Amino acid sequence: MTPLLDVRGLRKYFPIRGGWLGGAPRMVRAVDGVSFQIASGEVLGLVGESGCGKTTVGRTVLRLLKPTEGSIRFEGEEIAALPDRALRPLRRKMQMIFQDPYASLNPRMRIADIVGEPLRIHRLAAGAALEERVVALLEQVGLGREDLARYPHEFSGGQRQRVGIARALAVSPALLIADEPLSALDVSIQAQVLNLLQDLRERHRLAFLFISHDLHLVRYFSDRVAVMYLGEIVEEAQVEALFTAPRHPYTEALLSAVPIPDPTRKRRRILLPGDVPNPADPPPGCRFHTRCPKAFNRCRVEAPRVTEPAPGHRAACHLAE
Amino acid sequence: MVSVEDLRTYFDTPEGIVRAVDGVRFQVPRGKVFGLVGESGCGKSVTALSILRVLPPNARIVSGQILFDHGDLCRLPEAALQRIRGNRIAMIFQEPLTSLNPVFSIGYQIAEPLRIHQGLGRREAVTQVMDLLRAVGIPDPETRIREYPHQLSGGMRQRVMIAMAIATRPALLIADEPTTALDATIQAQILDLLAEIRATTGSALLLITHDLGIIAETADAVAIMYAGEIVEQAATTTLFTHPAHPYTQGLLASLPRHEGGDRPRRLHAIPGTVPKPINLPEGCRFAPRCGRCIEACTAAHPAVREIAPGHLVRCIRA
Ligand SMILES: Nc1ncnc2c1ncn2[C@@H]1O[C@H](COP(=O)(O)OP(=O)(O)OP(=O)(O)O)[C@@H](O)[C@H]1O
Ligand SMILES: Nc1ncnc2c1ncn2[C@@H]1O[C@H](COP(=O)(O)OP(=O)(O)O)[C@@H](O)[C@H]1O
Ligand code: SF4
Ligand code: SF4
Ligand SMILES: [Mg+2]
Ligand SMILES: [Mg+2]
C-alpha cells in the first residue's frame, strides 16, 4: 500500500550571510537527508532539540519551503518539484497547526472569516452554506455560533488554538502538520486540546506529523516516533519500542533527561556534556560523537548507516548494527 | 531562612486593580528546595519580584512580611535592600539574554557583584570568576571570560547567570523558570548544577516552574498557586501521592502517564479557563471549574486548613 506521505532523502539548506573572508557562502544544513513515511490515519511524532530541523521538515513537506534535494510523495504523487501554482490542490489535503495561537491568527479578522477563508479560497462554500459550514467546524472544536463575530484577542490561548484547528480542518485535509501545537498552552488547557485532536483523529482518520519537544505528549499521542539530531533522523520506531527500548545513545539520553512527575520514582539521568553543535558546521563522522557517552574511534571518522536492529525499528549508530 | 507572610502585591491598571499575589505565605528553610508551581499568570513571578522588591512601577506591596536575616524585606530602606540583592539573595531568570547586559563581557558581569559586595580587587575577582565558570561547567573559561552574551548558546548563558547568582554565595537563590527556555538535555545539566550548588553551599532555593516533573525531581516541598493564591502546600511526596485540592488533583490527572503501556484514550481535562485577575470570583476562585463545587464554596472565600501536619489546603471539602 502506498503511504499517504513518503519522504526520501529530504534536504533543506539555508544560505547564511558572511561568506567569511570572501569565501563561498556557507550553508545551514537544517534538514540533511531525512526519510520517513506516514500512513493514512497514522500519527508520526517528530522530536529533537531546538534547531535540529523539525519545523523545517514540516514546512518543506507542506512546500512552504522549496526542498534543496529529495523526494516528497503525497498520495503517490511527487510534489518536491511542483511549481507553486500547481500546489493549490495539495494545500487542501495538508494543513498546518502552529505553535503560537497568538501570532498565527490575523487580529483584525473575525472568527467567521478566519475559519471561512480556506473554504472561500478553495471555492468550497459560499453565502449561507459557508456560514453553516463554519458553525459546524466551530462546534467540532468546542466553540459555537456565538463566536462567529468575535476577534482573536477576545479568546484565551486554548480557544485560539481551537480556532486554528477549526481553520485547518475547514478543507477536510488528510494530513495535519502540527508544529508544537500545545507548547504555548498551560497544562490544564493542553489536555483539553489534546483530547480534541484525539477525537478528530478518530472521527476523520486524520494523519499527523506531530512535532513536539514534550516527550510525554508525544508518547501519548503518536503511533510511531522519529528522533532528530542536527538535521538527521537518528532513530525511528513504534512509540512503545522507542520509549522502552531505545537503540540510539541520543534517544537514551533524551528520554532520561525528561523529568517524571512522580517523586517516588528516582532514575539515573544520562548527562550529555556540552551543547548541540552548529548545524552550519556539523561534526565529521557521527554528528552526535561530540556529546555521545559511547563514542569510540570509528565514530569520529565514519558516519553510521541507518540499520534496522528490530523490525520497524531503525537507528543510525555503529553500535546498533 | 526566608519566611513570606500574607504577601499581597497588587497592580494598578487602567482596567482596575489586579490582585496578582493575594495572601501568599510560605517558608524556604536553609538548604532546602521549595517549589512554586502554577499556570501562567497565577502570580509566581510577582511573588519572586516582591521578595527582592524589584517590581514594576504600577505594582505595590499592599500587605505582608518577608522575614529574612532578622529583618522584614518589605520594610527595609532601599539602601539596606541593595546590600542584600545580588548578595544574600540572588535571582536567576527565565531568559538570560534579557537579564545579561549585552555591552559588558561575561567576566566583567560576573565580577561585578564580587567587587561591589565583597570589595575584591580586579585580580582576585578574575581568579574567582574563573573558578565560578569552571564550577558551572563552562569549558575554556580563559576564553569565555572575554566573550559577550550574544556569543554564547542559551544553555551557556543560563550557566553564566547561575555563576553570577552564586558568586557571593547567597543564602537564598530564587530561580524563576530557570530551564523553560532550554532543551531537555541542557535542562538536565542545569538542574543537576543547581542541586550540586545547593549541596555544596547549603543555600536555600526557591524554584518557580510550571513543570510538575521538575518539581517532583528537585523540590523538598511545594506550593500550588492558582489565581494569586496558594491553594495547596505540602512535602513533595505528599502532594503527589495525596493531593487534596481539586485543582491539584485535576492538574496531576491531566498529565499523560505511561505506566503499564496502555494509554487512556482521553486525558482528564480541567474544564474552563483561569479567571481574569480583574474579576476574581467572590468565593473559592476555582469554583467555576471545580467538579466538587457546592453552594457553600461560592458563598465565602475558603480559608487555609491544615489537614495533616504540614499539609495546607484552601478548600472547604478537602
Ligand atoms: N530561513 C532560515 N534561514 C537560515 N537558517 C534557518 C532558516 N530557518 C531555519 N534555519 C536554521 O535551520 C535549523 C533548523 O531550524 P528549525 O526551525 O527547523 O528547527 P526546529 O527543530 O523546529 O527547532 P525548535 O524546536 O527551536 O522549533 C536551525 O539551525 C535554524 O537556525
Ligand atoms: N506590570 C504589570 N501590570 C499589570 N499586571 C501585571 C503586571 N505584571 C504582571 N501582572 C499580572 O499579575 C499576575 C501574575 O503575573 P506573574 O506573577 O507574572 O505570573 P506567573 O505566575 O506566570 O509568573 C497576572 O495576572 C499578570 O497579568
Ligand atoms: S555512532 Fe558512535 S558517536 Fe554516534 S551515536 Fe553511535 S556510538 Fe555514539
Ligand atoms: S472550595 Fe469548593 S469549589 Fe473550591 S476547590 Fe474546594 S470543593 Fe472546589
Ligand atoms: Mg520549530
Ligand atoms: Mg512568570
Side-chain angles (χ1 to χ4, degrees):
Chain A
M1 215 189 80
T2 30
L4 181 66
L5 177 71
D6 187 351
V7 174
R8 297 201 185 234
L10 185 67
R11 286 176 212 278
K12 177 65 194 177
Y13 293 180
F14 295 103
I16 43 173
R17 223 179 294 277
W20 200 54
L21 296 178
R26 295 209 304 159
M27 290 289 186
V28 179
R29 304 201 220 157
V31 175
D32 206 9
V34 155
S35 304
F36 62 89
Q37 286 80 42
I38 302 180
S40 155
E42 187 185 38
V43 178
L44 177 69
L46 188 59
V47 304
E49 294 180 274
S50 183
C52 70
K54 306 179 295 294
T55 298
T56 308
V57 167
R59 295 179 61 86
T60 312
V61 164
L62 270 173
R63 281 297 318 274
L64 297 172
L65 293 171
K66 207 169 155 44
T68 305
E69 200 182 299
S71 150
I72 307 167
R73 286 176 176 275
F74 187 78
E75 292 179 334
E77 185 196 357
E78 179 59 64
I79 62 165
L82 281 185
D84 282 349
R85 64 190 145 68
L87 289 170
R88 186 187 277 192
L90 188 79
R91 295 266 148 82
R92 264 191 66 179
K93 295 177 182 161
M94 274 198 255
Q95 286 282 315
M96 185 140 183
I97 317 174
F98 296 92
Q99 164 167 1
D100 189 348
Y102 301 87
S104 56
L105 302 177
N106 183 336
R108 282 183 294 277
M109 277 167 78
R110 297 178 313 143
I111 299 309
D113 300 320
I114 290 176
V115 178
E117 188 178 48
L119 292 167
R120 262 198 315 279
I121 292 177
H122 293 285
R123 299 199 183 83
L124 296 174
L130 178 82
E131 180 164 317
E132 282 324 297
R133 181 90 181 96
V134 170
V135 170
L137 286 161
L138 288 177
E139 281 170 356
Q140 275 196 37
V141 299
L143 300 171
R145 190 180 295 278
E146 65 282 5
D147 297 311
L148 285 173
R150 297 170 74 189
Y151 288 88
H153 74 262
E154 298 174 54
F155 290 93
S156 68
Q159 288 171 322
R160 274 185 269 221
Q161 196 54 294
R162 288 165 191 272
V163 172
I165 294 169
R167 180 188 156 91
L169 291 176
V171 292
S172 313
L175 175 67
L176 273 185
I177 295 184
D179 190 359
E180 302 275 4
L182 306 168
S183 53
L185 306 177
D186 273 317
V187 188
S188 77
I189 309 300
Q190 276 186 356
Q192 294 175 3
V193 175
L194 198 63
N195 282 340
L196 169 65
L197 293 178
Q198 189 87 321
D199 290 343
L200 296 171
R201 159 191 185 182
E202 287 170 11
R203 199 173 323 141
H204 303 290
R205 259 182 75 71
L206 267 177
F208 281 81
L209 179 63
F210 185 71
I211 300 173
S212 176
H213 65 267
D214 186 327
L215 292 168
H216 293 297
L217 293 175
V218 166
R219 183 168 184 184
Y220 177 75
F221 192 61
S222 311
D223 298 309
R224 271 184 312 124
V225 177
V227 181
M228 280 187 82
Y229 187 79
L230 273 183
E232 299 178 329
I233 291 181
V234 296
E235 181 161 11
E236 189 205 321
Q238 294 296 326
V239 62
E240 280 313 304
L242 189 113
F243 277 88
T244 55
R247 301 305 272 269
H248 195 282
Y250 176 63
T251 313
E252 278 180 291
L254 195 61
L255 297 182
S256 85
V258 179
I260 297 179
D262 180 355
T264 60
R265 265 175 57 189
K266 291 274 175 262
R267 299 166 307 150
R268 270 185 57 83
R269 273 206 285 257
I270 304 169
L271 281 187
L272 293 181
D275 279 317
V276 180
N278 182 348
D281 189 18
C286 174
R287 286 185 185 184
F288 185 52
H289 88 252
T290 54
R291 302 174 76 201
C292 181
K294 297 182 177 167
F296 54 107
N297 283 339
R298 186 175 162 201
C299 306
R300 286 176 257 282
V301 288
E302 185 188 336
R305 290 179 306 118
V306 176
T307 54
E308 196 160 339
H313 196 145
R314 279 180 287 279
C317 168
H318 292 311
L319 296 175
E321 279 175 14
Chain B
M1 187 73 262
V2 66
S3 175
V4 175
E5 302 289 339
D6 193 41
L7 177 69
R8 289 174 206 270
T9 306
Y10 294 179
F11 288 97
D12 296 309
T13 74
E15 292 79 37
I17 293 176
V18 172
R19 292 185 271 163
V21 174
D22 207 10
V24 158
R25 167 179 191 173
F26 62 88
Q27 285 84 39
V28 192
R30 187 182 148 72
K32 298 285 184 199
V33 181
F34 187 81
L36 197 55
V37 202
E39 299 183 81
S40 85
C42 70
K44 306 181 294 294
S45 297
V46 174
T47 302
L49 298 177
S50 302
I51 294 178
L52 284 174
R53 267 177 42 204
V54 284
L55 290 157
N58 62 330
R60 54 200 161 88
I61 296 182
V62 177
S63 78
Q65 291 186 312
I66 297 167
L67 303 175
F68 179 80
D69 274 0
H70 318 292
D72 178 0
L73 299 185
C74 291
R75 278 159 196 83
L76 229 48
E78 178 60 28
L81 205 59
Q82 270 177 15
R83 284 194 294 274
I84 290 179
R85 257 185 233 133
N87 183 26
R88 298 278 299 146
I89 304 180
M91 183 142 174
I92 304 164
F93 296 92
Q94 170 169 353
E95 200 3 280
L97 198 51
T98 51
S99 23
L100 289 172
N101 192 327
V103 304
F104 292 113
S105 71
I106 298 304
Y108 181 88
Q109 294 189 57
I110 303 176
E112 198 178 43
L114 290 170
R115 296 172 69 170
I116 295 176
H117 294 295
Q118 300 190 343
L120 293 191
R122 209 186 117 76
R123 269 265 151 95
E124 294 161 297
V126 168
T127 321
Q128 278 220 21
V129 168
M130 299 277 218
D131 289 345
L132 283 163
L133 288 177
R134 245 174 245 121
V136 297
I138 290 189
D140 199 10
E142 295 79 5
T143 322
R144 295 298 181 188
I145 205 166
R146 282 188 290 273
E147 290 187 343
Y148 291 83
H150 72 270
Q151 292 174 285
L152 304 180
S153 69
M156 293 267 227
R157 284 197 285 260
Q158 198 56 288
R159 280 164 199 275
V160 169
M161 278 276 291
I162 294 175
M164 266 169 81
I166 61 170
T168 57
R169 298 190 160 250
L172 174 65
L173 256 179
I174 302 176
D176 188 0
E177 309 264 6
T179 58
T180 304
L182 303 176
D183 280 317
T185 63
I186 311 295
Q187 165 170 295
Q189 295 170 356
I190 299 291
L191 291 176
D192 214 58
L193 174 63
L194 285 175
E196 192 189 305
I197 287 168
R198 189 172 48 92
T200 52
T201 66
S203 65
L205 174 62
L206 174 59
L207 178 64
I208 297 176
T209 173
H210 63 271
D211 186 330
L212 288 161
I214 293 179
I215 291 294
E217 293 197 350
T218 44
D220 297 297
V222 53
I224 307 277
M225 274 189 90
Y226 187 79
E229 299 179 319
I230 291 179
V231 294
E232 182 161 9
Q233 187 170 332
T236 304
T237 316
T238 310
L239 188 113
F240 279 83
T241 52
H242 297 95
H245 195 283
Y247 176 61
T248 315
Q249 292 169 344
L251 274 186
L252 290 174
S254 69
L255 299 173
R257 300 201 180 243
H258 318 287
E259 288 92 47
D262 283 357
R263 50 185 180 193
R265 210 192 64 73
R266 292 176 65 90
L267 292 173
H268 169 87
I270 302 175
T273 51
V274 177
K276 296 258 182 313
I278 305 270
N279 254 326
L280 294 172
E282 275 303 311
C284 171
R285 293 184 184 172
F286 187 59
R289 306 175 73 188
C290 182
R292 303 190 55 208
C293 179
I294 54 173
E295 221 169 283
C297 302
T298 51
H301 190 70
V304 173
R305 290 186 304 127
E306 187 160 12
I307 58 165
H311 191 168
L312 306 172
V313 188
R314 193 185 280 281
C315 167
I316 57 170
R317 305 198 65 195

